[in-house]
Amino acid sequence: MALISWSMFWFYTHITVDTTERAVSGQLKEWVLYRFDTAVNNINTRADQLERRANALLDQPASGTGSIDINTLKAPLEHTLKWSQDLAGATVYDWPVKQASLALYLDGQFPRVMTQTALPLWLQQLPNTLTTRPDAKSVWWSPAHRHPVTGDTVVTLVKPILSTNGQLSGLISLDWKLDAILALATEAEATAGTLIWLTDRSGRQLAPEYLDQRRSYAKSLMLAAQQQTPMTIFQTGFEQLTLDKPTHPADLYYAPVNNGMSLAVAIPHTELEAPLQALRERSKSYLIYLGAAIMLLTVLGLSRLVPALRSLRASYIDKLTGLPNRSRLLQNLERDKSVSLILINLDRFREVNGLFGDHCGDLILKEVALRLESFMSSDENKGGELYHIQGDEFAITLPRRRPEMVQAQLEQILGFIRQTPIHWQNHEIGLSATVSAAVPWFDAPREHSLYIHAREAMREAREKGLHCCVYDGSEPLEQEFEYNQKWAGKLRDALDTEGLVAWFQPILNNTTGHIDKYECLVRMMDNDGGVISPGKFLGVAGKLRLEGHITRVMVEQCFVRFTDSPMQFSINLSYTDLQQAELTQFILQRLDETGVGSRVIFELLESANIENYDQVRTFVDEVKKRGCRIAIDDFGTGYSNFEHLLQLQVDIIKIDGSLIRNLDKDPNARRVVRGIVGLARSMKMETVAEYVHCEAIQMEVLRLGINFSQGELISMPAPELIAQVPKELTKLSYSGRSRAKTALNC
């Protein structure tokens, strides 16, 4: 009897504790989601306040001539900085931008005028919609950068200044301190070990400085999260996933916020397991009690179970509309993947909600829910389910149907939503939406859920300005996944089997008519001996963070190849390469071992957005001590080139092919190139013309006084160096033309 009683007690205890653990686990997750949503709303609210503040500054448009009255703007800008201590500065620019018309920064509690201002790097990243098709409501948030005076890391709100005729006449910017944003984000710290960070539009992760136990795993968890999450620009809403990191497994929550960044929260499983572990420890002690405790523990279990079940049910219901929420949708999709999934996103809801208030927004959501329930009530939609997943977004699951039928249903949904305007305090508010759908197809990959594909269809609809978009597996999304997987595998195999080789493109010395330098370019060798151009695999290499490995291979091969050659040779380096201490140390070590420094040219790629010039200058100083020279690649395609010239000890300017390829026909290109050549001469730098593909272009290159030529006319990249320069090529130089002219006169 004692054994039977103990067994019954153990059985009841096990069931009770297990049920309670599930309830507690659900409540913990709901608490985490609540804290996360609070942090997102805090950041969004503050971002909206700053946008409204920027709008208020521009109540008076610029004059018809496009001029900006700085005196009119100075006082409101100073008041704005005093109004908000989380702003580091504010700036006004004329358009086109040459320098700041007015730049203020906050010194303590007092606005000051910056006397010398360099143009920020974010100016070259402005979207075309902001500069070519400006709108009074347009705003843009920059990536994170450092304020030139205060030293604060900031995110800049940029708003166009329009003239009375609607033309872009300038820009106004407000610099929001990152510390202030992170302070709002800390609301998401649901446990003592929670990590929070922000990711800007350039992929840079920004987190508080953790000084407690989180310091040991913060960096590795953030890196693991970055590898598993899409870039900020591809995030369309809240997402959750598990980070399967052996040392610190964690749950990751992330979502975009209204300042161009995304907020991420990582909670280690140990933090979530702590309350449950304590519960398990207590359950062990229960086993020392015998039959008399059975009834007591049963009653205790039921008293905990009933509220937990009620709470669990409430956690799957949206309080405003009474509809199942996002958690219930994902749970149902996991159970049944054969349904068609429809997402409905209301247009301009945030603007209406901001204009008329939350009560108006709640009314709209309830009315839309009623209209969608009307759509679901028809016989053909029986078996489907309606969800309110977040904010202004609803979802519908329907039985599996052909894509053309789903497309017709999307049109019906739009009709139900648009049928009549909503009346709010004597105002008529018209409703519209963007609707997307994902339809399951034969042999669909299991790891790609319907929800992801419906989100992709929504993003495509937004980008193309469509109201409806259906994803049925025929679009190139799956092909893109397969393409990336294919070339990622080929690249890793090439790195393991020495399948990456250096090819060399000769550069003609326009003074002597000789080839005295080469640019080293990477190629991949296929299994059958074929040659694969870098355009196939460099993009995948960047996503996999393998550029440094490719650079290491090129340095090793090229240093060995040119050890016994008098020729100069150049190797491309990106800013990502220069950020890797192990790679830069390897380059310096190989320079010392081979002694080829006097013939090495390092080309800094134009696409490199250099944020830490001190780090780059340290490398430049070290290689110059060893006789190396520095070149700027693709010069003339962006503002960053000129910043490089001012900050680095540049020896050679390589003029971009987009300016050279039509040099014989485009007078504007000739003017720009002539200016670049004059600038290079004044700074005692050599110039190289890229993309010289015919004699007519080479003649223009010679007329403009460019020192070197590179391109198809000289030679395309090849695995070997040119043994002898053809006479026809020698004639296309200053020396060759001079000898030909002398012979003609004789």
Side-chain angles (χ1 to χ4, degrees), residues 27-97:
Q27 291 174 346
L28 281 174
K29 291 184 178 179
E30 287 300 313
W31 171 245
V32 169
L33 289 173
Y34 170 78
R35 295 296 297 268
F36 182 84
D37 288 341
T38 301
V40 170
N41 290 335
N42 287 346
I43 296 174
N44 287 344
T45 299
R46 187 56 178 158
D48 292 343
Q49 289 174 350
L50 292 178
E51 291 181 12
R52 290 196 295 271
R53 192 71 182 186
N55 286 332
L57 292 171
L58 300 179
D59 285 341
Q60 297 298 324
S63 68
T65 61
S67 62
I68 302 172
D69 189 351
I70 299 303
N71 295 326
T72 302
L73 286 175
K74 183 176 180 182
L77 283 177
E78 290 177 341
H79 180 69
T80 297
L81 294 182
K82 294 178 181 178
W83 162 74
S84 177
Q85 293 296 310
D86 58 357
L87 294 179
T91 310
V92 179
Y93 302 91
D94 282 312
W95 187 265
V97 176

Side-chain angles (χ1 to χ4, degrees), residues 171 294 308 673:
L171 302 172
I294 295 177
V673 173

Side-chain angles (χ1 to χ4, degrees), residues 349-365:
F349 176 79
R350 187 162 66 96
E351 291 80 354
V352 172
N353 195 64
L355 182 62
F356 295 111
D358 292 340
H359 292 299
C360 177
D362 291 346
L363 174 67
I364 291 174
L365 294 177

